[in-house]
Amino acid sequence: MLGKTSDIVLIVICLSQLFERLQAEQPDFAEKIIAVNSDLTLLELDLSKEDQSILVENINIVFHCAATIRFNEPLKDAMQLNVLATQKMLALAHRMKHLEVFIHVSTAYAHCDREVIEEVVYPPPVNYRKLIDTLDWMDDDLVATLTPKLIGERPNTYTYTKALAEYLVLQEAGDLNIAIVRPSIVGASWKEPFPGWIDNFNGPSGIFIAAGKGILRTMRASNDAVADLVPVDVVINATLAAAWFSGSQRVNRPRSLMVYNCTTGGINPFHWGEVENCINMTFKNNPLEQAFRRPNVNLRSNPFTNQYWTTVSHTLPALLFDGYLTLMGHKPRMMKTITRLHKAMVVLEYFTSHSWVWNTDNVAMLLSHMSPEDKKVFNFDVRQLHWAEYMENYCMGMKKYVLNEELSGLPAARKHLNKLRNIRYTFNTVLVVLIWRIFIARSQMARNIWYFVVSLCFKFLSYFRASSTMR
Ligand SMILES: *[C@@H]1O[C@H](CO)[C@@H](O)[C@H](O)[C@H]1NC(C)=O
Ligand SMILES: *[C@@H]1O[C@H](CO)[C@@H](O)[C@H](O)[C@H]1NC(C)=O
Ligand SMILES: CC(=O)N[C@H]1CO[C@H](CO)[C@@H](O)[C@@H]1O
């Protein structure tokens, strides 16, 4: 049954460390998979007639997780991928002869314009059908001009289109049995297939890496805003359980639409200040290779102090370093990285400086309906989650699987951090001495003190020289 696309998919699966455990435990799992080729933006999802009939005849459960998660995708593209593709998927689902459940994966931030978010679908600010028609005749410039007005209180096109998609699912559900799962900020895995699995820079992961590399030093966030991270395997287990529940409850009710807020903040809260602390600790003990400076992030809720520190601890060092690179005949590159980092941070700021309350009664209800055996196999109970341990695995996962750094490189990375610390001490000392020399050293007494300080610094430096050669 394996066609060309399936071969490609399977090769990808077999190459990924993510599936190593599966391969060991179920060597012929590949025989259970049929991959089909599709394109969300094209008519009928670009499925061939044969593929469509295979799907229509055989599918029992649809998990619709395809979407763009780029926060600032142009509105037209975000509509195509998040709203119109959902409509096409639902149309196909309506033709399926044995469909029991349709699961739509949304986001907990779809209704981030509210402070308390219940497990219901809220009506969006505009009718999606009208918006689809309107966007159809507008050119890209016009859409870009209108976008801020359209998205209103929401920070980006992602949350806006996800809200529209939820409403579309509600409107076009017909007699289908539907569940909407809303995860918050999806992070590395907690347990399955192993702790700390992650393979992308999405969401906060890119920021964590920038912090570990010592590029990110200051960030606009509130120390006590809830960091609603949720491990990816919790989301997957909860989604599977939701499908089971909606499917098995069908006997009692002809049709249902359940919404699950798959979040952690209400049950086991973790705050951005604590996230910062964990990152600080992990990357000091297990540094990333070739760090730019020592990892040390400070969260600031005041936009003005944050702006000041951004200039002092991001832009100035980057300019200095680029100047140094240019002098040495290399291409400057640090300012480019910093600019990209700032763009990513502007997008995340909204989420790191606000807190929300999500009602999770349906998730609790789901858990209570599961047998003790299923609770173990499909565990998604985040009360058991130990955040510090999770964050350490998350950071180490990024080092290993995203940056592909070997653990054998750790001693060298630690040495590099020590060198950076010595450079900083030297730099600060030279700065103090210069300031003293230029502005203060006028009187005899000042000169005496100055000689004393210089000799002290000299001793200090030679001590560090000795200690770093000893290491
Ligand atoms: C992170 O480390 C830096 C330097 O050691 C420290 O100033 C800062 O307060 C630490 N942050 C937290 C939250 O521990
Ligand atoms: C999710 O379910 C899998 C499969 O039973 C299990 O191995 C894993 O530990 C569960 N994930 C969590 C976070 O408990
Ligand atoms: C555990 C949990 O998240 N509880 C919240 C459920 O939602 C209500 C509001 O609807 C909050 O008050 C609870 O804290």
Side-chain angles (χ1 to χ4, degrees):
M1 232 23 236
L2 294 182
K4 226 171 160 190
T5 22
S6 1
D7 289 345
I8 298 169
V9 171
L10 290 177
I11 290 167
V12 172
I13 286 179
C14 298
L15 282 178
S16 170
Q17 279 161 298
L18 174 60
F19 294 98
E20 273 172 9
R21 195 176 130 196
L22 179 63
Q23 245 181 342
E25 288 174 20
Q26 308 268 341
D28 35 82
F29 73 94
E31 282 161 29
K32 299 179 184 168
I33 300 172
I34 302 175
V36 297
N37 212 352
S38 169
D39 185 330
L40 293 181
T41 60
L42 298 180
L43 194 69
E44 298 194 327
L45 300 167
D46 204 28
L47 289 165
S48 69
K49 285 279 171 265
E50 301 85 77
D51 284 343
Q52 286 190 31
S53 72
I54 293 178
L55 297 175
V56 166
E57 296 296 331
N58 297 295
I59 297 294
N60 304 110
I61 306 174
V62 172
F63 293 96
H64 175 48
C65 349
T68 173
I69 53 164
R70 279 181 49 194
F71 283 175
N72 282 322
E73 193 89 68
L75 185 58
K76 259 192 188 184
D77 299 337
M79 282 295 284
Q80 272 284 351
L81 292 163
N82 293 348
V83 182
L84 287 167
T86 303
Q87 194 174 35
K88 290 170 192 159
M89 208 50 235
L90 267 172
L92 181 63
H94 278 297
R95 289 169 50 205
M96 292 177 178
K97 294 184 177 146
H98 313 287
L99 190 70
E100 301 197 25
V101 192
F102 183 97
I103 301 273
H104 173 72
V105 178
S106 183
T107 163
Y109 296 97
H111 308 286
C112 58
D113 52 327
R114 293 166 180 271
E115 264 166 34
V116 177
I117 300 165
E118 306 280 341
E119 290 170 304
V120 297
V121 175
Y122 294 100
V126 293
N127 182 332
Y128 64 90
R129 292 201 182 92
K130 288 203 176 128
L131 186 60
I132 291 168
D133 291 344
T134 314
L135 292 182
D136 208 37
W137 62 263
M138 287 186 178
D139 63 26
D140 294 348
D141 272 352
L142 192 50
V143 175
T145 315
L146 278 183
T147 300
K149 277 259 180 270
L150 281 170
I151 65 177
E153 301 247 301
R154 289 190 178 74
N156 51 44
T157 56
Y158 172 68
T159 51
Y160 181 70
T161 51
K162 288 302 262 187
L164 292 182
E166 281 193 4
Y167 198 66
L168 180 144
V169 170
L170 180 69
Q171 291 285 300
E172 308 196 1
D175 56 359
L176 296 182
N177 224 352
I178 295 204
I180 296 178
V181 179
R182 287 188 189 142
S184 41
I185 306 173
V186 180
S189 67
W190 171 16
K191 293 179 189 166
E192 162 93 14
F194 41 78
W197 164 261
I198 176 108
D199 69 347
N200 60 62
F201 291 99
N202 295 339
S205 307
I207 297 286
F208 295 169
I209 288 181
K213 288 272 185 193
I215 300 169
L216 176 80
R217 313 278 292 187
T218 178
M219 180 168 175
R220 188 151 163 239
S222 162
N223 271 314
D224 21 78
V226 173
D228 210 299
L229 294 167
V230 56
V232 61
D233 46 342
V234 166
V235 179
I236 291 169
N237 286 3
T239 306
L240 293 174
W244 159 78
F245 185 74
S246 286
S248 59
Q249 295 295 303
R250 216 159 62 120
V251 230
N252 311 340
R253 278 174 294 159
R255 135 188 185 186
S256 69
L257 192 145
M258 292 288 289
V259 180
Y260 300 94
N261 282 341
C262 197
T263 59
T264 55
I267 308 157
N268 185 355
F270 186 52
H271 305 94
W272 286 107
E274 297 168 278
V275 173
E276 176 205 4
N277 219 338
C278 290
I279 292 176
N280 242 2
M281 296 292 291
T282 309
F283 285 135
K284 245 166 225 166
N285 297 334
N286 302 298
L288 298 179
E289 285 166 21
Q290 298 299 319
F292 178 56
R293 293 173 71 190
R294 285 167 67 77
N296 175 9
V297 194
N298 282 288
L299 304 185
R300 297 190 167 87
S301 50
N302 183 323
F304 297 105
T305 39
N306 187 52
Q307 193 51 51
Y308 169 77
W309 282 106
T310 304
T311 310
V312 171
S313 56
H314 288 176
T315 313
L316 279 181
L319 284 176
L320 273 178
F321 187 67
D322 276 354
Y324 167 78
L325 284 181
T326 316
L327 277 181
M328 303 308 269
H330 299 291
K331 246 183 97 181
R333 59 186 159 81
M334 211 56 213
M335 256 330 272
K336 231 168 141 182
T337 311
I338 287 282
T339 310
R340 269 177 49 202
L341 177 69
H342 287 164
K343 276 202 187 126
M345 273 168 34
V346 167
V347 172
L348 281 180
E349 250 171 31
Y350 178 84
F351 300 98
T352 52
S353 6
H354 288 79
S355 285
W356 290 266
V357 175
W358 283 279
N359 188 334
T360 52
D361 291 348
N362 283 349
V363 174
M365 180 278 301
L366 181 60
L367 202 59
S368 73
H369 274 76
M370 289 163 70
S371 69
E373 172 66 19
D374 280 351
K375 267 187 204 161
K376 235 181 263 155
V377 177
F378 299 99
N379 177 41
F380 54 88
D381 187 352
V382 290
R383 278 173 300 188
Q384 304 158 14
L385 184 60
H386 186 274
W387 283 111
E389 190 187 315
Y390 172 71
M391 280 307 298
E392 185 172 348
N393 288 330
Y394 193 158
C395 292
M396 292 309 283
M398 281 189 299
K399 181 173 167 68
K400 281 188 272 186
Y401 312 117
V402 180
L403 299 175
N404 289 316
E405 294 184 2
E406 300 281 344
L407 290 185
S408 58
L410 268 178
R414 290 199 187 109
K415 227 172 163 172
H416 181 70
L417 276 200
N418 285 334
K419 201 175 100 193
L420 289 177
R421 186 192 53 195
N422 294 350
I423 289 177
R424 201 191 71 190
Y425 283 145
T426 314
F427 183 83
N428 288 357
T429 317
V430 169
L431 207 65
V432 167
V433 168
L434 276 182
I435 289 172
W436 179 264
R437 200 62 186 130
I438 295 168
F439 297 107
I440 308 168
R442 294 274 183 247
S443 70
Q444 182 61 42
M445 195 180 77
R447 224 167 293 153
N448 286 346
I449 298 176
W450 184 65
Y451 283 126
F452 175 72
V453 170
V454 167
S455 64
L456 203 68
C457 292
F458 191 72
K459 271 183 206 150
F460 219 60
L461 278 181
S462 47
Y463 165 75
F464 275 119
R465 274 281 259 323
S467 70
S468 63
T469 42
M470 254 152 60
R471 249 187 287 261

